[in-house]
């Protein structure tokens, strides 16, 4: 892991410097076990020594068995984009497509937003209190449905409006990003809702 960490940091510096030379800012999305979570991201920040922006991903941080609210509290000024997801714990006999293994060998799976265990309202409140005024990308990469991706999107948006009335009104603009792997490989559709 240490070799990977050092190689990763060098690569990240190169990407950040290249982007900066073009007048752009690269941002980091928490993934996996090494740079993920509060301690992992702090170590990453200290080592990379660049103006790092971060995606607060409501689901990916579960890989290190932390909640996104912990990440937001620790790094509020680094958050420049948000991925909203919801998860549930999964028993080993239920493991399948869309499941993620955690650092401790547990498993989670994405579910429709508002039906899982992620502290969505608390996390959004923390983001707003920190001054975050950017986009919220709603991601759902759940289990197989016998519908087309457009229909699945309609279901998720309907559930958001119905079950999360307080949260949906907090977004000035919602960017919905859908991936329905069972029907359209690499289908990535963004919808803007008012």
């Amino acid at each position: 892991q240490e070799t990977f960490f050092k190689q990763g940091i060098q690569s990240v510096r190169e990407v950040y410097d290249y982007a900066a030379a073009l007048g752009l800012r690269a941002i980091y999305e928490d993934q996996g076990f090494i740079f993920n979570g509060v301690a992992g991201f702090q170590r990453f920040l200290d080592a990379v020594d660049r103006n790092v922006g971060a995606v607060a991903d409501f689901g990916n941080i579960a890989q290190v068995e932390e909640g996104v609210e912990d990440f937001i509290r620790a790094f509020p000024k680094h958050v420049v984009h948000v991925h909203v997801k919801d998860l549930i714990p999964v028993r080993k006999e239920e493991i399948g497509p869309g499941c993620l293994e955690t650092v401790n060998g547990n498993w989670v799976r994405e579910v429709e937003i508002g039906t899982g265990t992620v502290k969505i309202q608390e996390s959004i409140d923390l983001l707003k209190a920190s001054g975050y005024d950017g986009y919220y990308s709603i991601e759902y990469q759940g289990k197989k449905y016998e519908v087309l991706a457009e229909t699945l999107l309609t279901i998720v948006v309907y559930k958001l409006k119905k079950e999360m009335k307080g949260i949906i009104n907090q977004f000035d603009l919602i960017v919905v990003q859908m991936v329905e792997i069972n029907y359209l490989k690499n289908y990535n559709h963004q919808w803007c809702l008012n």
Side-chain angles (χ1 to χ4, degrees):
Q1 277 192 355
E2 197 58 33
T3 300
F4 178 79
F5 180 84
K6 289 176 182 175
Q7 291 172 342
I9 292 300
Q10 182 58 39
S11 297
V12 167
R13 285 181 183 147
E14 290 174 19
V15 169
Y16 272 77
D17 293 345
Y18 181 75
L22 297 173
L24 302 171
R25 182 180 186 199
I27 61 173
Y28 172 76
E29 178 179 357
D30 55 338
Q31 298 273 345
F33 303 137
I34 297 175
F35 299 137
N36 201 348
V38 173
F41 189 69
Q42 185 62 61
R43 184 172 182 227
F44 171 79
L45 278 178
D46 293 343
V48 81
D49 193 30
R50 300 292 188 273
N51 182 20
V52 175
V55 176
D57 189 294
F58 284 29
N60 291 353
I61 198 163
Q63 290 179 286
V64 291
E65 297 192 7
E66 294 179 22
V68 71
E69 67 279 2
D70 301 321
F71 185 88
I72 295 166
R73 279 190 198 97
F75 308 107
K77 299 305 176 195
H78 289 277
V79 175
V80 297
H81 188 65
V82 175
H83 289 172
V84 180
K85 297 177 184 171
D86 211 346
L87 304 167
I88 58 170
V90 175
R91 295 187 314 259
K92 292 201 184 223
E93 60 270 13
E94 299 173 326
I95 296 169
C99 292
L100 294 173
E101 186 174 13
T102 71
V103 70
N104 294 322
N106 297 309
W107 291 83
V108 294
R109 176 174 50 84
E110 287 186 37
V111 293
E112 292 176 5
I113 295 169
T115 64
T117 60
V118 174
K119 296 178 181 176
I120 295 172
Q121 184 67 59
E122 179 182 344
S123 299
I124 290 172
D125 290 345
L126 286 168
L127 286 162
K128 289 184 75 150
S130 76
Y132 179 76
D133 64 353
Y135 293 108
Y136 294 81
S137 175
I138 299 173
E139 294 187 337
Y140 180 72
Q141 300 170 42
K143 65 181 185 175
K144 184 176 179 180
Y145 282 83
E146 298 299 324
V147 292
L148 293 174
E150 288 85 355
T151 305
L152 181 57
L153 174 64
T154 303
I155 292 167
V156 171
V157 171
Y158 171 78
K159 283 231 171 245
L160 272 171
K161 288 181 178 178
K162 183 178 178 193
E163 296 178 15
M164 300 178 65
K165 292 176 249 178
I167 294 174
I168 197 82
N169 292 332
Q170 293 182 19
F171 301 150
D172 295 326
L173 177 69
I174 298 175
V175 179
V176 179
Q177 185 178 58
M178 295 299 301
V179 179
E180 220 304 321
I181 57 173
N182 296 303
Y183 286 96
L184 302 169
K185 289 284 186 197
N186 300 319
Y187 181 84
N188 190 345
H189 212 93
Q190 293 196 3
W191 301 75
C192 295
L193 308 172
N194 291 325

